[in-house]
Amino acid sequence: MYLKEEQVRDFFKTVDDNFQHAEVRIERVNKHLSRSSENFKSVNETKAVFNWGCDDPLEIERWCNSFKFRGEYYYYSVPKLTDLTERIGLEAILYKYLPTYNKSIGVWKYEKKTQPK
């Protein structure tokens, strides 16, 4: 999320060009949140900026078809609300149930396996 789309693409291409097998996990935000990094206190305090957001995990497969999407974890989708509110605060309850937010930030997992020739 802190890299620009071109940098994320270059990263996947570099891994693809240099490794036969790889597992990559990326922390990402959706496009909506990528336009609002100033609303995140922890991000604001470091003067960081969200530069890239993605809504579709298969987009990365389209960039680099040797990588396959293998899993996802979303921060606002944890099963126990108490875990969520302890980490984020009461507003997290709303985020869990609003479609714009419930899958807005999390980790996507990709795997590359080259078939033997």
Side-chain angles (χ1 to χ4, degrees):
M1 66 183 110
Y2 301 107
L3 302 176
K4 295 182 175 153
E5 181 178 323
E6 182 180 317
Q7 293 172 302
V8 178
R9 284 178 185 247
D10 288 346
F11 170 79
F12 274 90
K13 183 176 180 345
T14 299
V15 173
D16 190 32
D17 290 346
N18 292 285
F19 297 94
Q20 288 186 1
H21 304 290
E23 181 177 297
V24 176
R25 294 172 193 233
I26 60 168
E27 184 180 38
R28 46 61 69 195
V29 295
N30 67 9
K31 290 180 182 182
H32 174 75
L33 288 189
S34 73
R35 295 185 292 269
S36 60
S37 51
E38 70 279 352
N39 295 331
F40 290 82
K41 183 180 177 185
S42 60
V43 175
N44 243 354
E45 288 176 356
T46 62
K47 304 212 182 329
V49 176
F50 295 157
N51 285 301
W52 174 71
C54 186
D55 296 329
D56 180 6
L58 301 181
E59 183 174 333
I60 290 168
E61 285 187 11
R62 291 188 289 274
W63 298 346
C64 192
N65 63 12
S66 61
F67 281 93
K68 300 299 173 207
F69 178 64
R70 296 293 187 226
E72 58 197 351
Y73 171 81
Y74 297 102
Y75 300 149
Y76 298 134
S77 296
V78 296
K80 290 173 57 179
L81 284 176
T82 54
D83 294 344
L84 194 58
T85 56
E86 284 175 9
R87 281 194 356 253
I88 299 166
L90 288 176
E91 67 271 15
I93 295 171
L94 288 174
Y95 296 156
K96 180 178 177 75
Y97 297 105
L98 292 172
T100 303
Y101 290 98
N102 68 350
K103 290 189 174 184
S104 61
I105 184 167
V107 176
W108 288 343
K109 176 182 169 183
Y110 297 88
E111 186 176 33
K112 175 193 175 177
K113 284 189 178 177
T114 303
Q115 300 299 321
K117 294 180 183 180

